Amino acid sequence: MSAIPDQSIRTTQSSGLTALGVERPWLAVIVSVLIMMLFGAALPWAKVDTNPKNMLPPDSEVRVWNDEVDRRFGLHEDTIVVAIRPEGGVLSAANLEKLQQVSRNVLALPGIVKGDVTSLYTVDNVTSGGEMLRIAPLLATAPKDAAGIEELRKQLFEGPLFVDRLISRDEKTTAIYVPLEMGADGAKLAASIRSAALQSFTADQVFITGDPVARDLFGAEMFKLMGIFAPIAGGLMMVLMFWMFRSWWLAGVMMMTAMVSIMVAMGAGIALGFPVHIMSSMAPVFLMAIATDSIHIFNEFFQRHRPGSNRAEVVRQTIAAVARPVRYTALATALGFAVLLFMTIIPVKVFGGIVVLGTVVLRLLSFYLVPACLMLVPLPQARAGDDSLSRLTSWIASWAVRRSVSTLAITVLLAAGSLWGLSKSVVDNNMLRWFKESSEVRQADALFSREMGGAMPASLVIDTGKPDGVKDPAVLKAMEALQKDLVEQKLVGTTLSVADYLKRINRVLNGDQPAAETLPADVETAGQYLMAFSMGARPSDLNRVVDYDYQRANVLLQLRSGDAQLMQRLEERVQTVVREQRMPFKVTAAGPAHFNLVWNQEVLKDMILGFAIALAVVLAVLAADFRSLKWALVAYVPLLLTVLVIFGALGVIGKTIDMPVAVLSCLSLGMAVDFAIHFVTRYRQRSEEVGRGRPLTDSQREDTLRWVIEWPGKGIVRNALMFAVAFAVMLAAPLTPYVTVGAFIVSMMCLSALASLTLMPALIKTFRL
């Protein structure tokens, strides 16, 4: 059999784009550069948005509800949580004096809601002055002697108001809660708070965490990574391209097509007013990798070109040979990303739109700019990577043709194991987990979870259905029972409600006896206590636990984790307790932890919907391309196996599936099918040439399979390597979503290429196609 591609494809009339590119190549280059510059001019106006709230539309039910709860109870959207762990413990005269200075320094910072900062020096305490209720700051000044410290210790630990919220049970850690003004930069304020704390304590004694810190730190890192990884990926791809073809010119051609598509897609998105989210920040690397599909054009061109041949004619023959698979792989990729436009998560929609536009631009350039550049660039005499790639594809061909039964057996075992792993998969979108465990924000969160009540806030809004209903003793007892149950079930770190304030007031007005720490027995007494408390406390103390007409109460929760599974168990437990104990109110969850749960559920729903749509779309594209459902199914199997193996592996190793990975479940079908389309198209072309309209003999079929694996298959291997190199740079990222995406894509491209070159030949040989 001939070791070179068949040369019998006759040149037909070139498409308009290709003809223009071949006949006027410099015009194609100039037009492409001008378009790139035009759209690239919008990039300096890019804005970053990592606020989880903006993941869902403004009119989404959970956003509207959370905003209503914030307004009703005077809560703040963003709060920075500071933990200080001084040497020698919190309750020493020296450390208490330092903490007072830290509190003063923090209160002097701009961008915070000063009246609602909560620390040992700003929180109110309820005591009695004779028969009168006395409400005053817990600490006016730092105690100087042992007696003063002992009195402070007694006040801190004799009730539920401060323990695990402002001081740990072992007295080693204290907390400061700093609410931010709307629009404040959490990362910058966190740095300012750290500077304020470091005036009194060492760096290893100060820990800062909270959603706004994580969000804004992530945004800052994301913007840096977007500017770093795309150039690094491009550089590595150019080096690999040079190794494959021994030509920096060809590497430059591929990189030019990638840059034009990136500039057009990102520039259009920014010009239309879309901010850069976590997903769209990855779009340049995706487009750079998708641009590697031009490898098939280069691969075919150099297998056809001979010294002294008519270059224009070879370019036309090349485009004629690869036009159909290139066109349909572009269609499959574009439709795979277009599925994201049907998602609920806003950044996912934006990402999908950007990559669809970029993919369309890339395919237009494949038929216009790439042929033009092939007319202009100097051609290499030898290709450095050719021998090693030839040996690799030759070995794969030998295995695939001889070991079809073994290949199918391995496939069945892999599928069975992957289904088992898939059953163990968990979907979660805890933003703190988007940082590595060694990161400062994760370490601070771990300390808060271990020694305090946790840094993730949530609310349980209790609606009695009538004004003054919260004052009802039955309502207060049920509220107390609900709080106690959640603590006993270890679903929360700590809780705070109007019932806790009432028990504290009842105690101090009855001789400060522990036995008197009970709820008032009637509505009138509860009303009097609340009126007295409202006259002396900070307005926020009462406002955040009860509404104006006392119809609704708010139970403030602190969770030791932001995982959606924890909040889901909590909400399910709440509804179970309320139903089984027939509590006289309705309960609805709210707050950041509840939003995270709803967002997580939307991601899971989108993942299932998107995957189902992508399955149907890809099968339809394959059937349309091959005009055969049988061949569509043959090409379908390798990509399904690839996705199944990857997600099964994630389940086996216990890796949580977050939003980027969930999105990739949809995209993977459109991207992994590229290799199958190229393989089947070239196999069918070769079969027609060899069989001349008659069915192939077993020997002819095996020879044809070897030819496809060794020659067009070389383009598949090259494409997979380029894809893998582009995304491998993400493995070095400090943010886990980038690492996960990098590992996912590298694995997907390598596995799908291997499956296309081994499993499809096994299927073709077994069923004699």
Side-chain angles (χ1 to χ4, degrees):
M1 183 182 66
S2 175
I4 62 173
D6 186 81
Q7 305 287 328
S8 63
I9 295 178
R10 289 178 297 176
T11 304
T12 58
Q13 183 64 37
S14 302
S15 70
L17 276 176
T18 301
L20 186 60
V22 170
E23 294 165 10
R24 305 185 68 179
W26 279 112
L27 177 64
V29 173
I30 293 170
V31 168
S32 299
V33 171
L34 289 176
I35 290 174
M36 179 175 65
M37 294 173 62
L38 175 65
F39 282 89
L43 297 185
W45 282 269
K47 295 180 180 179
V48 174
D49 182 5
T50 55
N51 190 339
K53 187 172 79 169
N54 294 333
M55 297 291 180
L56 297 178
D59 58 351
S60 63
E61 186 177 342
V62 66
R63 285 188 63 174
V64 173
W65 168 242
N66 270 359
D67 290 344
E68 179 185 339
V69 171
D70 287 348
R71 287 192 300 270
R72 184 179 295 277
F73 296 103
L75 304 178
H76 301 286
E77 180 180 327
D78 292 324
T79 298
I80 292 177
V81 184
V82 185
I84 299 178
R85 204 169 189 268
E87 185 178 354
V90 175
L91 300 182
S92 73
N95 285 335
L96 287 169
E97 188 171 348
K98 291 179 182 179
L99 288 169
Q100 184 177 28
Q101 185 58 49
V102 171
S103 185
R104 288 172 179 166
N105 292 342
V106 169
L107 288 169
L109 295 174
I112 66 172
V113 185
K114 295 178 172 55
D116 289 343
V117 172
T118 302
S119 70
L120 292 177
Y121 286 92
T122 62
V123 70
D124 286 331
N125 189 26
V126 181
T127 57
S128 63
E131 296 183 355
M132 298 294 294
L133 192 67
R134 181 175 180 270
I135 302 171
L138 174 68
L139 280 175
T141 58
K144 304 294 184 182
D145 53 29
I149 292 175
E150 189 57 37
E151 176 60 26
L152 174 61
R153 179 180 287 111
K154 176 177 178 294
Q155 293 184 44
L156 285 171
F157 289 95
E158 67 183 5
L161 299 182
F162 310 120
V163 179
D164 287 339
R165 294 183 61 248
L166 288 174
I167 190 166
S168 60
R169 294 182 184 276
D170 61 5
E171 304 181 8
K172 292 181 179 180
T173 307
T174 185
I176 303 175
Y177 300 87
V178 186
L180 309 187
E181 294 178 349
M182 290 293 292
D185 188 315
K188 290 182 179 179
L189 274 172
S192 299
I193 292 171
R194 175 172 296 281
S195 297
L198 291 181
Q199 294 179 26
S200 303
F201 298 99
T202 60
D204 61 346
Q205 296 171 341
V206 179
F207 302 83
I208 301 178
T209 188
D211 258 13
V213 180
R215 182 186 68 229
D216 292 334
L217 279 175
F218 191 92
E221 287 293 327
M222 186 179 77
F223 208 84
K224 286 192 293 186
L225 292 177
M226 184 174 63
I228 293 173
F229 280 164
I232 293 177
L236 291 174
M237 290 167 65
M238 288 188 69
V239 171
L240 184 59
M241 188 77 171
F242 176 79
W243 176 77
M244 290 177 179
F245 293 101
R246 189 61 74 86
S247 170
W248 290 114
W249 288 101
L250 289 181
V253 171
M254 188 191 67
M255 208 43 52
M256 183 178 178
T257 62
M259 290 307 300
V260 173
S261 71
I262 290 170
M263 291 297 184
V264 171
M266 294 296 293
I270 292 168
L272 290 172
F274 294 110
V276 178
H277 301 90
I278 175 176
M279 291 305 304
S280 53
S281 72
M282 300 180 187
V285 180
F286 271 86
L287 291 173
M288 200 169 292
I290 294 170
T292 62
D293 200 43
S294 59
I295 282 283
H296 294 281
I297 299 176
F298 299 144
N299 186 66
E300 187 71 20
F301 176 81
F302 280 106
Q303 288 173 9
R304 291 178 175 276
H305 184 266
R306 295 292 176 270
S309 60
N310 185 320
R311 190 187 296 201
E313 183 67 16
V314 174
V315 171
R316 292 188 181 96
Q317 289 181 352
T318 296
I319 297 301
V322 301
R324 188 180 183 89
V326 167
R327 187 179 299 116
Y328 275 94
T329 56
L331 179 61
T333 301
L335 290 178
F337 281 91
V339 168
L340 302 182
L341 299 174
F342 297 93
M343 304 293 101
T344 303
I345 309 300
I346 293 175
V348 172
K349 289 185 176 183
V350 175
F351 172 67
I354 288 174
V355 180
V356 167
L357 176 58
T359 302
V360 171
V361 172
L362 280 170
R363 291 295 73 86
L364 292 174
L365 295 175
S366 295
F367 297 115
Y368 180 52
L369 180 61
V370 172
C373 290
L374 286 176
M375 293 296 298
L376 296 173
V377 299
L379 299 181
Q381 297 301 313
R383 296 186 291 284
D386 219 32
D387 290 341
S388 53
L389 286 177
S390 295
R391 288 193 295 270
L392 175 62
T393 54
S394 177
W395 181 87
I396 293 174
S398 178
W399 166 274
V401 172
R402 290 187 298 107
R403 304 281 187 175
S404 57
V405 175
S406 299
T407 300
L408 292 175
I410 293 171
T411 298
V412 171
L413 291 174
L414 280 174
S418 299
L419 286 171
W420 174 77
L422 192 62
S423 68
K424 298 181 174 296
S425 298
V426 175
V427 178
D428 206 331
N429 283 289
N430 182 353
M431 181 171 276
L432 280 170
R433 294 190 183 275
W434 290 3
F435 295 85
K436 293 184 177 179
E437 289 187 8
S438 59
S439 66
E440 182 180 326
V441 68
R442 281 286 296 275
Q443 290 181 339
D445 183 71
L447 173 75
F448 235 93
S449 299
R450 185 174 64 250
E451 300 191 11
M452 303 289 283
M456 173 57 73
S459 290
L460 295 178
V461 178
I462 291 173
D463 189 350
T464 65
K466 58 183 179 180
D468 291 329
V470 173
K471 300 175 185 177
D472 187 336
V475 169
L476 293 170
K477 288 180 181 178
M479 193 186 309
E480 179 187 36
L482 182 59
Q483 291 177 250
K484 182 179 179 182
D485 181 84
L486 294 179
V487 173
E488 289 176 348
Q489 295 291 325
K490 297 183 179 180
L491 294 171
V492 298
T494 184
T495 68
L496 181 68
S497 74
V498 65
D500 296 310
Y501 283 123
L502 288 171
K503 287 191 291 183
R504 175 64 180 169
I505 293 169
N506 197 64
R507 171 173 174 164
V508 299
L509 291 180
N510 287 275
D512 203 15
Q513 296 298 314
E517 194 166 318
T518 59
L519 291 165
D522 53 71
V523 173
E524 290 74 17
T525 304
Q528 292 172 6
Y529 285 177
L530 290 171
M531 181 176 292
F533 184 72
S534 66
M535 294 174 65
R538 294 189 304 178
S540 60
D541 288 344
L542 187 60
N543 290 346
R544 62 183 175 167
V545 294
V546 70
D547 66 0
Y548 180 76
D549 58 3
Y550 295 97
Q551 176 177 323
R552 300 172 184 84
N554 183 29
V555 180
L556 298 168
L557 309 177
Q558 286 180 229
L559 281 62
R560 289 195 165 95
S561 169
D563 291 348
Q565 283 73 25
L566 174 62
M567 190 63 189
Q568 184 167 3
R569 293 199 305 272
L570 186 151
E571 293 189 23
E572 289 172 352
R573 180 63 183 177
V574 166
Q575 298 306 325
T576 298
V577 172
V578 170
R579 182 180 63 256
E580 291 180 350
Q581 298 187 18
R582 298 182 179 180
M583 293 182 170
F585 45 65
K586 296 179 180 178
V587 183
T588 308
H594 174 65
F595 178 89
N596 192 44
L597 172 60
V598 175
W599 172 32
N600 192 72
Q601 291 169 338
E602 291 293 339
V603 169
L604 180 59
K605 184 171 67 176
D606 280 356
M607 175 181 172
I608 295 172
L609 174 64
F611 195 72
I613 295 174
L615 282 172
V617 166
V618 168
L619 183 60
V621 170
L622 290 172
D625 182 14
F626 303 144
R627 293 180 173 84
S628 166
L629 182 59
K630 174 182 65 178
W631 279 108
L633 292 174
V634 169
Y636 212 45
V637 172
L639 68 95
L640 285 180
L641 178 67
T642 298
V643 175
L644 184 61
V645 168
I646 292 175
F647 277 97
L650 290 175
V652 170
I653 66 176
K655 174 64 181 176
T656 298
I657 298 174
D658 53 21
M659 184 181 69
V661 176
V663 170
L664 288 175
S665 68
C666 305
L667 306 185
S668 55
L669 294 175
M671 297 167 70
V673 76
D674 288 11
F675 303 147
I677 289 177
H678 280 284
F679 189 98
V680 170
T681 301
R682 301 310 301 278
Y683 173 80
R684 294 178 73 188
Q685 286 177 354
R686 184 69 174 182
S687 296
E688 290 176 4
E689 295 162 4
V690 172
R692 299 184 183 278
R694 294 188 298 272
L696 298 180
T697 64
D698 289 345
S699 176
Q700 287 175 325
R701 183 176 296 104
E702 290 182 1
D703 287 344
T704 300
L705 286 171
R706 286 192 179 93
W707 180 87
V708 175
I709 297 171
E710 291 181 4
W711 292 104
K714 194 181 294 184
I716 292 175
V717 173
R718 284 171 169 155
N719 197 359
L721 288 174
M722 295 292 283
F723 239 110
V725 165
F727 281 92
V729 297
M730 289 189 174
L731 298 176
L735 304 174
T736 59
Y738 287 84
V739 176
T740 305
V741 167
F744 189 102
I745 296 295
V746 169
S747 302
M748 183 186 69
M749 300 314 294
C750 293
L751 284 174
S752 60
L754 183 61
S756 296
L757 296 177
T758 57
L759 179 54
M760 276 200 297
L763 293 171
I764 291 170
K765 183 180 175 183
T766 300
F767 295 102
R768 298 188 175 185
L769 300 174

